Amino acid sequence: MVMVSLRQLRYFLEVVDAGGFSAAAERLFVAQSALSRQISELERELQAVLLERSSKGVTLTPAGRTFVGEARRVLTELAGSVALTRSVARGEQGTVRLAHSSSVPFVGALPPALYAHLQAHPGVSVDISTLSSEQQQDEIEAGRIDVGLVRLPVLRPAPSLVCETVARERLLLLVPKAHALAGRASVSVAALAAVPFVSLPHRERGGLSYRVAQLCQQHGFFPTAAVATSRKTTLVHLVAAGFGVAIVPESLAALAGPDVSRVALDDAHADSEVALLRRRDAGTLVVAVGEALRRALGGADEAAAAQ
């Protein structure tokens, strides 16, 4: 295997540009003997004579003329890689892989906040996907996702991750337009004991459906399952089709169409929290995108509280 050092490349190019060893040694602030030794080692490693020495200076051989272009390309590419790496470390360039739970729709203040952040950091891009809270934890720990937005609770929080609550949303009841509760201004969770729900919790997952089940259990019942259920945004369509009701955060309720009625919940603690997930050792790039999302959700939360 050929072992050529960056120092040898730089020394070789300096000799070529200076036109001789003496002038190159002065530019490099090294002894001429040390410079000559590095070039000789380079030629020995390449098994080729690169420079013809004479009293008038140096002349490139055919092999030298080929190698000088390659040496310049290598050093230029290396300089670009170093600059890119430093830029990424400063949070100026790179791609951030973002995931969000289906119960944390990427709507409202999130898209404009992300757009503003990317406009201010033109070297940054974001790849967005939808994953459950538990999947997000696994993917972030494995390094396949950088930052996530989850609906609490997360049943088995990973100690290697930061899980920061960034927003609290009121929960609303969604009912079909023709439902008996559709005309009500508000209703208590206790009144839903016999009503079929289109979303039930998974035994190994937290999130929105788990939080809704907690509220129901505080009133002494577990949600009754409708004949069709979903823990995804599909639940909105199931409500519209008349399968049953759902308790969802305001951001998800906003996606419901005209066939669905929104009813306020009387319960004081009928709310849900959104959290930001990332690795504890996340880089500047990831932390900056997460901070932009946190501010967006926090600002929306404060605006809602002020109303």
Side-chain angles (χ1 to χ4, degrees), residues 3-217:
M3 300 292 290
V4 175
S5 70
L6 294 175
R7 174 187 293 179
Q8 290 171 339
L9 295 182
R10 287 193 293 265
Y11 280 12
F12 168 68
L13 292 176
E14 195 63 56
V15 171
V16 172
D17 293 341
F21 282 84
S22 178
E26 290 182 8
R27 291 184 183 184
L28 293 167
F29 300 101
V30 298
Q32 185 171 331
S33 58
L35 176 59
S36 181
R37 185 169 58 253
Q38 288 291 330
I39 300 302
S40 295
E41 290 178 2
L42 173 62
E43 291 178 320
R44 185 165 53 254
E45 191 67 40
L46 295 175
Q47 299 180 10
V49 176
L50 303 175
L51 299 168
E52 291 180 349
R53 286 87 162 165
S54 70
S55 59
K56 296 181 179 180
V58 296
T59 304
L60 286 167
T61 66
R65 286 194 293 272
T66 297
F67 189 69
V68 72
E70 292 301 306
R72 292 193 195 281
R73 179 184 61 79
V74 168
L75 292 181
T76 298
E77 290 181 356
L78 177 63
S81 297
V82 169
L84 176 61
T85 301
R86 288 174 176 170
S87 183
V88 170
R90 293 193 298 266
E92 298 171 349
Q93 290 194 61
T95 298
V96 175
R97 297 158 300 180
L98 165 68
H100 64 96
S101 301
S102 58
S103 65
V104 186
F106 209 78
V107 297
L110 288 173
L114 181 60
Y115 182 76
H117 180 78
L118 297 182
Q119 286 292 101
H121 301 83
V124 180
S125 62
V126 175
D127 180 66
I128 305 174
S129 58
T130 304
L131 295 171
S132 70
S133 302
E134 285 71 22
Q135 287 175 313
Q136 288 185 49
Q137 285 202 129
D138 293 343
E139 294 295 287
I140 293 173
E141 281 195 298
R144 292 186 289 266
I145 293 294
D146 299 306
V147 62
L149 290 170
V150 300
R151 182 75 56 179
L152 295 180
V154 175
L155 297 188
R156 293 176 297 278
S160 63
L161 305 184
V162 174
C163 183
E164 176 192 7
T165 301
V166 292
R168 183 184 299 272
E169 282 189 271
R170 284 293 297 172
L171 294 172
L172 298 176
L173 176 67
L174 298 185
V175 299
K177 203 70 175 179
H179 197 277
L181 296 174
R184 299 276 295 273
S186 65
V187 66
S188 169
V189 172
L192 307 175
V195 177
F197 280 71
V198 298
S199 183
L200 294 182
H202 188 284
R203 63 180 180 275
E204 295 180 356
R205 295 180 182 176
L208 176 62
S209 57
Y210 192 96
R211 173 63 182 137
V212 171
Q214 285 180 324
L215 284 174
C216 293
Q217 288 176 316

Side-chain angles (χ1 to χ4, degrees), residues 192-250:
L192 307 175
V195 177
F197 280 71
V198 298
S199 183
L200 294 182
H202 188 284
R203 63 180 180 275
E204 295 180 356
R205 295 180 182 176
L208 176 62
S209 57
Y210 192 96
R211 173 63 182 137
V212 171
Q214 285 180 324
L215 284 174
C216 293
Q217 288 176 316
Q218 289 170 9
H219 291 278
F221 72 97
F222 190 83
T224 300
V227 293
T229 60
S230 172
R231 286 179 296 277
K232 305 297 183 182
T233 52
T234 309
L235 63 86
V236 175
H237 304 297
L238 294 179
V239 172
F243 283 96
V245 305
I247 293 178
V248 301
E250 291 177 324

